[in-house]
Amino acid sequence: MEKKATSNETQPLTSKKDISDCNEGEDCKENGLLIRNPKSALRLMEDGNKIHPGQGNKEEAAQISNGYSGVQSSVPCNGMGEVEDAQCTNPAATTTTTTTSTTCGAEGQQQLMELEDRETWSKKIDFLLSVIGYAVDLGNVWRFPYICYQNGGGAFLIPYTIMAIFGGIPLFYMELALGQYHRNGCISIWRKICPIFKGIGFAICVINLYVASYYNTIMAWVFYYLVSSFTTELPWTSCNNAWNTGNCTTYFSKDNVSWALHSISPAEEFYTRQVLQVHRSNGLDDLGGISWQLTLCLLLIFIIVYFSIWKGVKTSGKVVWVTATFPYVILFILLVRGATLPGAWRGVLYYLKPEWQKLLATEVWVDAAAQIFFSLGPGFGVLLAYASYNKFHNNCYQDALVTSTVNCLTSFVSGFVIFTVLGYMAEMRNEDVSEVAKDMGPSLLFITYAEAIANMPASTFFAIIFFLMLLTLGLDSTFAGLEGVITGVLDEFPHVWSKRREFFVLGLIIICFLGSLATLTFGGAYVVKLFEEYATGPAVLTVVFLEAVAVAWFYGITQFCNDVKEMLGFTPGWYWRVCWVAISPIFLLFVTCSFLSNPPELRLFDYNYPYWTTVLGYCIGTSSIICIPLYMVYRLIITPGTLKERILKSITPETATEIPFGDIRMNAV
């Protein structure tokens, strides 16, 4: 559709940051060439008085939810309203809502100014693999199988699917659409949505730093196991090692061994006494010294992470071709191997046998909601960051459905990988699967599964590929979590860090490493458990709840759907609207209230966490979300006017969002 400029539309549109090529007294209309804006860096061409938008008009979407309108003004270069004879006497004075920029000079008609553009993914598949790699992590392998059989086996798939359809996937889609449309990280994006909620971005960054401080320590444990696997006999196979105690007993000994009440498997002693060395700590009040072996492993992990993300998505998008695809190759190999083991069917039956009566228990629905939420991972700023590097018209709707489906199916298949092996162990021990599957969390991988692998034929090979799989699963999530912080800070402070990304990433890695020192002590496993339960769970749930409310109720569901239509060419249907406005916030509120009303009683190995650790956990969780009310107060204080005016200004988008119209990038509130 071609839009003709009338006599009142002869003034070219200007960018947020005007080009100062027009000197006083020069007539900008004569050359009629629109160039690339230094902010949007998109090619703009004006032929005579005609502008070719290409993708339609933004005016129909200009009305925002709180009553303020985005108006396309036509203020001339001098800002005085003289349209016919507008001169570029003061380019800096131009303040329009929908803008482009002009240049004067004889050479302007022959060439366009090429300026730096925002980094984008080299290929669409880079983005998809990065999102899949982020969503599919260690929790898919150890948490979902345990949660599934604990909450009714196959019956658990019903609440899990319902929570995914009405809670997890809509939130996943919403974050991808927000990031792709506004092209900003988790902090600065709120200037374009609802500025008073900008504290959400700072809270997300704090949460990601907490996650980096303990999640990478688990990766260090995996790395330790991987290095220890390069032997002809795996070290957790026998009881003849320096770290073993008199209680060490192996199930798989050729001799008839009686299993006593205090018997401990060699795999458990390797994990607790050699890797973690928790016997050298008395608990959180006496963590003991730092394990130099784990410190070295963590240092190597962070070196890998740094050189994978230091240059941005151009490099990390290539790394995920290995880290995101390799786990699926290994999962398939382990699935085939597990299915051929004696007793595998017992594990599968235990995994999927439905217990329908458990569907009446509230805890099952809470666990299903929490599992799908933490599995898909909205609220960490990662989806916003990754989507912000997409092309504007990328089909993020399709991406959301594909990646979330792959994630859920991966969790389901991982259950078969785990439980075929547990069935094998139950067969060899002549016990019920329920007795074998007592371990949960990391212990399920580092004790139960590791012991099963150690007693398979070709155990060294399967141990190496299994821990390589865990390593690549964790690296993807680490890349993503740190990229959420990096993109958020670089977009918020571009004048400071945009040209110094490598140094900022290095500083961030050093901060994360120093923050992990407490988890590297002999009692570090207790710290990891505390952070895992309290530092992220309720905080992230609160963040995403406020994010959903801010987008649906303050920014406006109509405006958000119009944004999606501009990108994709179609408006989200009533199902998505209802989910975003009501169902998803209720879903989040339901999980949050359930967690707060029934906080977990922490126990790890033989250590019962004292009461003061619960208080400490809530303090850690609150330290991140406190950023939200603090910024709200700060925002209202610095905004001029009456209280009503301050509130209205604080919930009104303050900066324009750049929208491409064919080859033109427009700015629209």
Side-chain angles (χ1 to χ4, degrees):
M1 177 179 175
E2 191 175 89
K3 180 179 178 182
K4 295 184 179 181
T6 64
S7 60
N8 290 329
E9 295 175 323
T10 54
Q11 170 59 32
L13 304 168
T14 58
S15 70
K16 288 185 291 183
K17 206 172 179 184
D18 290 326
I19 304 294
S20 57
D21 293 343
C22 301
N23 298 321
E24 185 174 357
E26 294 178 352
D27 191 347
C28 295
K29 295 187 296 180
E30 294 179 358
N31 297 298
L33 179 67
L34 297 180
I35 65 166
R36 290 186 77 177
N37 183 309
K39 200 69 176 168
S40 62
L42 286 179
R43 188 163 296 156
L44 306 173
M45 298 287 295
E46 180 184 0
D47 183 11
N49 287 330
K50 296 181 180 180
I51 301 178
H52 304 274
Q55 295 295 328
N57 200 321
K58 175 69 180 173
E59 290 177 353
E60 63 184 19
Q63 186 72 25
I64 56 179
S65 61
N66 52 25
Y68 284 74
S69 299
V71 182
Q72 297 184 2
S73 66
S74 298
V75 181
C77 284
N78 61 10
M80 302 299 294
E82 301 171 3
V83 177
E84 289 293 326
D85 297 312
Q87 305 292 320
C88 294
T89 57
N90 185 13
T94 304
T95 56
T96 62
T97 306
T98 303
T99 60
T100 58
S101 60
T102 66
T103 187
C104 301
E107 297 180 357
Q109 297 177 349
Q110 320 225 333
Q111 60 182 3
L112 296 169
M113 180 182 292
E114 297 292 335
L115 295 171
E116 185 179 7
D117 195 4
R118 183 178 180 86
E119 186 180 18
T120 59
W121 298 98
S122 299
K123 297 178 181 179
K124 170 71 173 285
I125 191 64
D126 294 353
F127 166 71
L128 291 176
L129 289 177
S130 296
V131 174
I132 291 173
Y134 159 66
V136 179
D137 66 349
L138 295 175
N140 293 74
V141 178
W142 79 48
R143 180 173 169 79
F144 178 84
Y146 176 82
I147 292 294
C148 186
Y149 82 75
Q150 187 185 46
N151 289 285
F156 177 75
L157 298 178
I158 294 176
Y160 179 78
T161 304
I162 292 174
M163 291 298 180
I165 292 174
F166 292 102
I169 296 177
L171 293 169
F172 193 86
Y173 178 21
M174 182 186 75
E175 282 211 354
L176 288 182
L178 284 173
Q180 182 171 305
Y181 183 84
H182 295 289
R183 298 176 68 80
N184 280 105
C186 60
I187 301 176
S188 55
I189 193 173
W190 291 101
R191 294 201 302 265
K192 302 177 179 181
I193 298 176
C194 190
I196 200 170
F197 285 97
K198 191 176 179 180
I200 290 177
F202 294 107
I204 288 173
C205 291
V206 175
I207 291 171
N208 280 334
L209 290 178
Y210 284 152
V211 172
S213 68
Y214 76 83
Y215 189 82
N216 290 289
T217 298
I218 300 177
M219 300 304 303
W221 302 348
V222 173
F223 196 85
Y224 191 102
Y225 266 86
L226 177 62
V227 174
S228 301
S229 299
F230 286 91
T231 58
T232 53
E233 182 181 0
L234 296 176
W236 57 88
T237 303
S238 67
C239 296
N240 302 322
N241 304 288
W243 58 82
N244 291 129
T245 66
N247 293 326
C248 181
T249 307
T250 174
Y251 279 110
F252 297 90
S253 173
K254 294 181 181 179
D255 302 325
N256 291 326
V257 177
S258 60
W259 188 262
L261 180 63
H262 300 290
S263 297
I264 303 174
S265 69
E268 182 176 349
E269 288 202 344
F270 178 79
Y271 178 54
T272 58
R273 299 181 61 84
Q274 175 64 10
V275 180
L276 303 181
Q277 302 183 60
V278 292
H279 64 288
R280 302 175 66 178
S281 168
N282 294 323
L284 286 174
D285 50 353
D286 181 20
L287 294 176
I290 294 178
S291 169
W292 68 267
Q293 298 97 327
L294 292 181
T295 303
L296 182 59
C297 290
L298 184 63
L299 180 62
L300 293 174
I301 292 292
F302 274 126
I303 289 174
I304 295 172
V305 171
Y306 175 73
F307 286 106
S308 298
I309 66 175
W310 69 322
K311 291 293 186 181
V313 296
K314 295 290 186 183
T315 54
S316 64
K318 296 297 179 288
V319 176
V320 294
W321 278 79
V322 176
T323 56
T325 58
F326 182 76
Y328 288 96
V329 177
I330 304 306
L331 275 176
F332 178 75
I333 295 174
L334 293 175
L335 179 61
V336 173
R337 182 69 187 102
T340 59
L341 292 172
W345 65 272
R346 295 177 59 186
V348 173
L349 185 63
Y350 186 79
Y351 174 45
L352 295 179
K353 183 180 179 181
E355 298 180 40
W356 303 109
Q357 69 277 8
K358 288 195 173 183
L359 294 180
L360 302 176
T362 306
E363 311 85 60
V364 174
W365 293 84
V366 173
D367 284 345
Q371 173 61 27
I372 190 63
F373 175 80
F374 289 112
S375 180
L376 292 177
F380 290 93
V382 175
L383 302 177
L384 292 174
Y386 277 171
S388 72
Y389 298 113
N390 276 335
K391 292 180 172 59
F392 184 78
H393 295 293
N394 172 66
N395 193 340
C396 59
Y397 169 71
Q398 186 182 68
D399 296 343
L401 295 181
V402 170
T403 53
S404 56
T405 302
V406 169
N407 175 70
C408 295
L409 288 177
T410 303
S411 298
F412 183 63
V413 172
S414 297
F416 288 97
V417 174
I418 297 296
F419 274 90
T420 52
V421 171
L422 294 182
Y424 162 68
M425 291 188 66
E427 182 80 11
M428 299 302 291
R429 294 182 183 181
N430 197 25
E431 292 182 333
D432 189 73
V433 179
S434 59
E435 294 298 318
V436 177
K438 287 182 177 180
D439 290 321
M440 61 176 294
S443 297
L444 184 63
L445 303 181
F446 294 117
I447 297 178
T448 308
Y449 204 89
E451 182 180 1
I453 287 178
N455 292 279
M456 290 181 186
S459 58
T460 297
F461 168 74
F462 285 108
I464 291 173
I465 64 171
F466 175 70
F467 290 111
L468 266 178
M469 179 191 73
L470 297 183
L471 187 65
T472 53
L473 283 173
L475 284 175
D476 285 332
S477 299
T478 298
F479 298 160
L482 293 179
E483 187 60 52
V485 178
I486 295 166
T487 300
V489 174
L490 264 61
D491 284 348
E492 178 66 11
F493 307 104
H495 55 289
V496 178
W497 295 112
S498 62
K499 301 297 183 182
R500 304 180 181 91
R501 177 187 170 99
E502 294 88 346
F503 296 104
F504 176 76
V505 175
L506 178 61
L508 181 64
I509 292 291
I510 292 174
I511 291 173
C512 292
F513 179 78
L514 295 177
S516 302
L517 291 180
T519 65
L520 298 173
T521 58
F522 300 137
Y526 304 132
V527 180
V528 169
K529 182 73 172 178
L530 182 68
F531 270 78
E532 187 178 15
E533 294 292 341
Y534 286 101
T536 56
V540 172
L541 289 168
T542 303
V543 162
V544 183
F545 171 74
L546 293 175
E547 179 183 306
V549 169
V551 172
W553 292 95
F554 287 85
Y555 185 64
I557 193 63
T558 301
Q559 176 65 31
F560 177 61
C561 290
N562 286 336
D563 294 345
V564 174
K565 183 178 180 181
E566 288 190 34
M567 290 189 299
L568 308 183
F570 59 88
T571 303
W574 63 267
Y575 157 73
W576 298 105
R577 291 170 180 256
V578 172
C579 286
W580 289 326
V581 170
I583 297 179
S584 293
I586 293 174
F587 159 85
L588 292 166
L589 196 61
F590 169 67
V591 180
T592 305
C593 292
S594 299
F595 182 91
L596 295 177
S597 63
N598 187 25
E601 296 182 5
L602 298 187
R603 175 184 172 86
L604 184 64
F605 307 125
D606 295 327
Y607 177 69
N608 292 308
Y609 284 65
Y611 176 77
W612 64 266
T613 59
T614 302
V615 178
L616 176 62
Y618 277 120
C619 290
I620 295 172
T622 306
S623 65
S624 57
I625 59 177
I626 196 68
C627 297
I628 301 173
L630 286 179
Y631 185 83
M632 288 180 174
V633 173
Y634 166 77
R635 178 81 192 188
L636 293 175
I637 291 175
I638 66 170
T639 303
T642 64
L643 179 60
K644 181 179 179 181
E645 291 173 342
R646 293 181 184 189
I647 294 175
L648 286 175
K649 290 178 182 178
S650 297
I651 63 176
T652 304
E654 64 182 30
T655 59
T657 295
E658 299 172 333
I659 311 301
F661 283 65
D663 286 335
I664 300 179
R665 163 111 20 198
M666 311 285 250
N667 290 333
V669 175

